[in-house]
């Protein structure tokens, strides 16, 4: 399911998040593995496979990667959350939001997503899209709380609506 949020007036939040830095890909792969393990969205069965997926995102699998709009959160124990934003079909796509299981429900994903929104607004973008599995009820609830609305299930139809605006 594709969701969309108007971000023309994203609120400024002071955060201690860090802009995305590709040097920590191994730590991110461990986060992806831990965050997706035993969930409906688990696609890979190893940290190494997630490392490949992260590299694919950086290499443009889902459009141009926007490091200035992608963030990670870190504690003394390591990275506990990340957003990865790309330009997919010319619109900003929240390609990945991953939070360590022990940090879920504590505002990490919210802070990361809002920081990505703020960066996109500064670049002049007015909307942010994401794709979520229909059965991922917890994620869908979070996204709705943050202001995302269902936009459809077909990228051609969604991008056609976007071009008409």
């Amino acid at each position: 399911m594709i969701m969309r949020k108007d971000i023309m007036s994203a609120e400024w939040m002071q955060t201690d998040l860090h802009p995305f830095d590709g040097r920590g890909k191994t730590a991110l792969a461990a986060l992806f593995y831990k965050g997706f393990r035993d969930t409906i969205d688990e696609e890979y069965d190893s940290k190494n496979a997630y490392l490949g997926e992260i590299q694919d995102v950086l290499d443009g699998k889902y459009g141009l990667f926007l490091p200035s709009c992608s963030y990670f959160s870190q504690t003394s124990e390591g990275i506990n959350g990340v957003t990865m934003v790309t330009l997919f079909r010319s619109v900003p796509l929240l390609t990945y939001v991953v939070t360590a299981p022990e940090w879920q429900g504590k505002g990490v994903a919210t802070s990361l997503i809002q920081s990505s929104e703020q960066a996109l607004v500064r670049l002049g973008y007015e909307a942010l899209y994401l794709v979520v599995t229909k059965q991922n009820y917890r994620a869908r609830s979070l996204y709705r709380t943050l202001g995302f609305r269902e936009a459809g299930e077909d990228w051609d139809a969604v991008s056609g609506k976007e071009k008409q605006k």
Side-chain angles (χ1 to χ4, degrees):
M1 167 184 315
I2 301 166
M3 297 183 83
R4 178 186 195 277
K5 178 181 180 181
D6 291 326
I7 58 170
M8 294 179 289
S9 60
E11 292 182 31
W12 172 256
M13 287 184 56
Q14 185 63 38
T15 66
D16 58 351
L17 304 178
H18 308 280
F20 188 88
D21 182 337
R23 292 178 292 175
K25 289 185 284 189
T26 302
L28 284 178
L31 172 69
F32 273 51
Y33 179 72
K34 190 175 180 182
F36 287 123
R37 190 166 184 197
D38 298 326
T39 71
I40 193 164
D41 292 318
E42 181 178 24
E43 290 186 59
Y44 305 106
D45 61 359
S46 72
K47 294 174 190 173
N48 198 42
Y50 281 108
L51 182 60
E53 175 66 7
I54 291 164
Q55 189 61 54
D56 286 347
V57 173
L58 299 177
D59 290 343
K61 179 179 180 180
Y62 305 106
L64 178 68
F65 178 64
L66 299 176
S68 66
C69 301
S70 303
Y71 290 87
F72 70 93
S73 173
Q74 188 169 11
T75 68
S76 58
E77 291 90 40
I79 296 175
N80 63 354
V82 66
T83 54
M84 296 181 79
V85 179
T86 62
L87 277 182
F88 182 76
R89 297 189 179 192
S90 301
V91 298
L93 175 67
L94 187 57
T95 307
Y96 278 108
V97 178
V98 185
T99 305
E102 65 272 19
W103 286 93
Q104 291 176 2
K106 297 181 180 178
V108 173
T110 296
S111 293
L112 288 162
I113 293 167
Q114 290 175 335
S115 293
S116 291
E117 291 173 4
Q118 294 160 13
L120 287 163
V121 167
R122 288 192 297 273
L123 292 176
Y125 291 100
E126 298 178 355
L128 176 59
Y129 289 82
L130 60 83
V131 177
V132 62
T133 305
K134 279 186 178 185
Q135 296 82 6
N136 191 338
Y137 303 110
R138 188 172 182 179
R140 286 176 53 199
S141 176
L142 169 66
Y143 299 143
R144 281 193 194 103
T145 299
L146 293 175
F148 286 88
R149 298 293 170 247
E150 293 178 15
E153 295 185 26
D154 178 87
W155 271 110
D156 291 330
V158 170
S159 61
K161 290 178 193 173
E162 186 68 24
K163 288 176 184 172
Q164 292 175 359
K165 290 184 178 189

